[in-house]
Amino acid sequence: MVYILAALLPPLGLLVNGQPISALVNLVIIVPCILLGLIFPLFFLVPSAHAVIAVHMKRSDRRQREIVDAIERNGTPPPGWRP
C-alpha cells in the first residue's frame, strides 16, 4: 500500500513511511521535474521513482534490523527466515 502511495503521491508516501527529510527533498525534486517534463515526459517519473526507491530501502533496512536484533536476543534467526 505504501508503494502505491509513493508512486502516485510521492511526498505523502514518504511521510507515511516516516521519512520527512526525503519528503522535503522530493518536493524540491518535483518542481524542476514538472518544468522539464513538459519537454521530456520521462522527467515526470523521477519523483515517483525516488519515493519508491526510498521506501524500499527504508523497509528493507527495518527488516534487516529486526533479523539482527532477533539473532542477538535468541542466538537463532526468527521463525520463517530464509537467506
Side-chain angles (χ1 to χ4, degrees), residues 18-47:
Q19 297 174 286
I21 303 299
S22 292
L24 290 175
V25 169
N26 199 286
L27 280 172
V28 171
I29 290 173
I30 286 176
V31 174
C33 285
I34 288 175
L35 296 175
L36 290 171
L38 297 174
I39 300 169
F40 304 106
L42 191 62
F43 277 101
F44 285 129
L45 299 177
V46 172

Side-chain angles (χ1 to χ4, degrees), residues 28-80:
V28 171
I29 290 173
I30 286 176
V31 174
C33 285
I34 288 175
L35 296 175
L36 290 171
L38 297 174
I39 300 169
F40 304 106
L42 191 62
F43 277 101
F44 285 129
L45 299 177
V46 172
S48 294
H50 168 259
V52 169
I53 290 168
V55 166
H56 176 72
M57 289 175 63
K58 178 83 171 198
R59 292 174 77 85
S60 66
D61 184 46
R62 285 181 195 155
R63 217 176 4 239
Q64 183 179 7
R65 196 171 335 122
E66 288 175 3
I67 291 171
V68 169
D69 289 343
I71 291 172
E72 288 176 352
R73 278 192 314 268
N74 304 323
T76 59

Side-chain angles (χ1 to χ4, degrees), residues 1-13 26 30 44 47-49 51-52:
M1 185 68 174
V2 176
Y3 287 107
I4 295 171
L5 190 60
L8 298 177
L9 299 168
L12 186 60
N26 199 286
I30 286 176
F44 285 129
S48 294
V52 169

